[in-house]
């Protein structure tokens, strides 16, 4: 099969013949129709992000495709089924704290690296091997719609945070860092979950205005000034009432003060989910006041990615029309134009843009 190969950090990506994956028990093989190109992919491939990757590797976190072969333990999945290939692969020998690898992207710790040696190759190839439970049926679709279903990968990350924060219908949520790809997706997900109002914060006034235009009066944009106290007061004032929960999604380059302003804008007994990149490139942490958290009964939840059951839940939300996909601009590239695809993804890093490899 044809596949994109990263042989060394900083080396050009190669498109080569690669051995077909061999299925074992508890595994499926999927014919890939489309796979996402992350906006920061070039930073991963250069080594700038310091991601744990066992090289050489086929990149590509997440894909949509059709099942080619299933193992003897699959009772419902059938060849020909359309599936979302969930890249969050969890070890099966520790239910409470499983080791995790993000297929085609990174690993978390030594256990994740062990998983990566078997399931490391991602979706930038004609075929993909993954655990049976990671092939999630999306129902019947026409082949031309497969790229649109890759938006699942953008929606699932913020859904994991909003789910952890316990967002309920009718509440007001603050999405901190809403002008990035995942932040813009968070606005759509929050509305789909029934939020009465989303206060969307960021540094790009044009993108904030676009969020208001696309999603309507339930979204209120707010541009950061860099003054922590003033920004916190502005967040509170921008909301129609108390802010019930906060989803924090700033990039690694953001100041901790940006996140702290958002966290401390939540109401008494409010909830916060932290999913951003603060501290990933070094620097200080949030330095939140202990007494303020305790006296106000604020719940703070760290959330990396999403639980397994989030995938079929999000599929059901899309099927029900609770979240629309029509506002996304989708650019597709064949494997032999991978360098162009990576550059396109970096240049179109905001909301409503999706870059895909289509083998």
């Amino acid at each position: 099969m044809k596949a994109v190969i990263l042989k060394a950090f900083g080396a050009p990506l190669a498109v080569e013949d690669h051995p077909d994956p061999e299925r074992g028990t508890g595994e499926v093989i999927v014919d890939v129709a489309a796979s996402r190109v992350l906006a920061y992919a070039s930073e991963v491939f250069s080594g700038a992000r310091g991601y744990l990757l066992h090289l050489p590797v086929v990149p590509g976190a997440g894909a949509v495709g059709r099942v080619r072969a299933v193992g003897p333990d699959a009772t419902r999945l059938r060849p020909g089924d359309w599936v979302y290939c969930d890249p969050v692969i969890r070890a099966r020998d520790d239910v409470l704290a499983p080791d995790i690898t993000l297929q085609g992207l990174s690993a978390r710790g030594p256990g994740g690296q062990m998983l990566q040696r078997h399931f490391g190759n991602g979706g930038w190839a004609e075929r993909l091997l993954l655990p049976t439970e990671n092939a999630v049926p999306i129902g019947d679709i026409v082949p031309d719609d497969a790229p649109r279903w890759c938006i699942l990968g953008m929606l699932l990350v913020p859904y994991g945070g909003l789910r952890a924060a316990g967002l309920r219908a009718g509440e007001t949520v603050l999405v901190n860092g809403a002008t990035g790809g995942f932040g813009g997706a968070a606005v759509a997900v929050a509305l789909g979950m029934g939020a009465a109002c989303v206060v969307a914060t960021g540094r790009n006034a044009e993108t904030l205005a676009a969020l208001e235009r696309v999603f309507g009066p339930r979204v209120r944009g707010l541009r950061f000034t860099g003054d922590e106290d003033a920004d916190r007061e502005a967040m509170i004032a921008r909301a129609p009432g108390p802010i019930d929960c906060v989803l924090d999604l700033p990039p690694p380059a953001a100041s901790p003060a940006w996140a702290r302003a958002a966290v401390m804008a939540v109401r008494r007994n409010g909830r916060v989910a932290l999913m951003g990149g603060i501290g990933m490139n070094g620097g200080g942490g949030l330095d939140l006041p202990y007494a303020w958290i305790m006296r106000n009964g604020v719940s703070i939840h760290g959330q990396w990615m999403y639980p397994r059951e989030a995938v079929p839940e999000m599929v059901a939300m899309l099927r029900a029309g609770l979240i629309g996909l029509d506002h996304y601009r989708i650019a597709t590239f064949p494997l032999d134009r991978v360098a162009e695809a990576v550059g396109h993804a970096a240049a179109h890093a905001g909301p409503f843009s999706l870059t895909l490899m289509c083998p």
Side-chain angles (χ1 to χ4, degrees):
M1 68 173 184
K2 292 290 186 183
V4 174
I5 311 292
L6 175 66
K7 297 182 178 180
F9 290 117
L13 294 166
V15 181
E16 299 179 351
D17 288 322
H18 192 270
D20 280 5
E22 296 184 6
R23 178 194 54 75
T25 300
E27 300 171 352
V28 301
I29 295 174
V30 174
D31 290 324
V32 177
S35 178
R36 281 188 306 142
V37 183
L38 295 169
Y40 55 86
S42 61
E43 298 173 28
V44 176
F45 302 152
S46 70
R49 288 227 167 192
Y51 280 11
L52 296 176
L53 269 173
H54 182 68
L55 302 178
V57 69
V58 177
V64 169
R66 301 189 82 167
V67 173
R68 183 181 185 89
V70 300
D73 58 330
T75 62
R76 301 189 183 184
L77 207 57
R78 296 285 184 270
D81 287 349
W82 283 100
V83 293
Y84 175 70
C85 303
D86 180 11
V88 184
I89 296 178
R90 301 167 176 86
R92 293 162 169 164
D93 50 0
D94 189 338
V95 174
L96 295 180
D99 289 304
I100 295 176
T101 193
L102 296 182
Q103 192 173 33
L105 183 62
S106 183
R108 192 172 72 180
Q113 289 179 290
M114 290 176 64
L115 278 176
Q116 194 180 79
R117 284 176 170 82
H118 185 66
F119 288 116
N121 287 332
W124 294 5
E126 292 178 318
R127 284 174 283 284
L128 175 63
L129 176 75
L130 69 163
T132 303
E133 62 270 25
N134 284 67
V136 182
I138 60 174
D140 291 333
I141 63 172
V142 297
D144 287 348
D145 271 351
R148 295 173 71 245
W149 279 90
C150 283
I151 298 170
L152 267 167
M154 297 298 296
L155 302 173
L156 280 165
V157 173
Y159 179 56
L162 292 167
R163 198 176 184 276
L167 175 63
R168 294 185 285 271
E171 290 191 324
T172 293
V173 59
L174 170 65
V175 175
N176 196 40
T179 53
F182 289 115
V187 175
V189 173
L191 295 173
M193 294 173 70
C197 178
V198 179
V199 178
T201 67
R203 291 172 293 186
N204 189 315
E206 183 178 343
T207 302
L208 291 171
L211 288 169
E212 292 180 332
R213 184 171 60 253
V214 168
F215 294 116
R218 290 163 65 196
V219 175
R220 301 185 180 189
L222 177 66
R223 187 175 182 275
F224 284 114
T225 67
D227 183 320
E228 181 180 342
D229 292 336
D231 285 337
R232 180 173 61 253
E233 293 303 319
M235 293 172 188
I236 295 170
R238 192 76 174 113
I243 295 172
D244 300 291
C245 67
V246 171
L247 176 61
D248 190 67
L249 282 166
S255 165
W258 178 359
R260 187 165 52 243
V263 171
M264 296 185 69
V266 77
R267 65 165 169 84
R268 182 172 295 180
N269 298 320
R271 295 98 59 201
V272 177
L274 303 179
M275 296 194 80
I278 297 295
M280 294 179 100
N281 289 344
L286 281 180
D287 193 24
L288 291 168
Y290 183 107
W292 177 85
I293 297 171
M294 181 270 294
R295 289 172 179 163
N296 287 285
V298 173
S299 300
I300 300 176
H301 188 107
Q303 181 66 38
W304 188 61
M305 303 304 288
Y306 45 85
R308 179 171 290 146
E309 58 269 26
V311 186
E313 290 172 1
M314 181 54 63
V315 170
M317 291 176 70
L318 291 176
R319 284 288 180 186
L322 296 174
I323 300 173
L325 305 179
D326 293 340
H327 52 274
Y328 272 88
R329 301 179 301 273
I330 300 175
T332 60
F333 296 85
L335 295 182
D336 58 7
R337 292 172 58 194
V338 62
E340 186 180 348
V342 171
H344 183 276
H348 299 81
F352 318 133
S353 182
L354 194 69
T355 304
L356 302 174
M357 299 301 306
C358 292

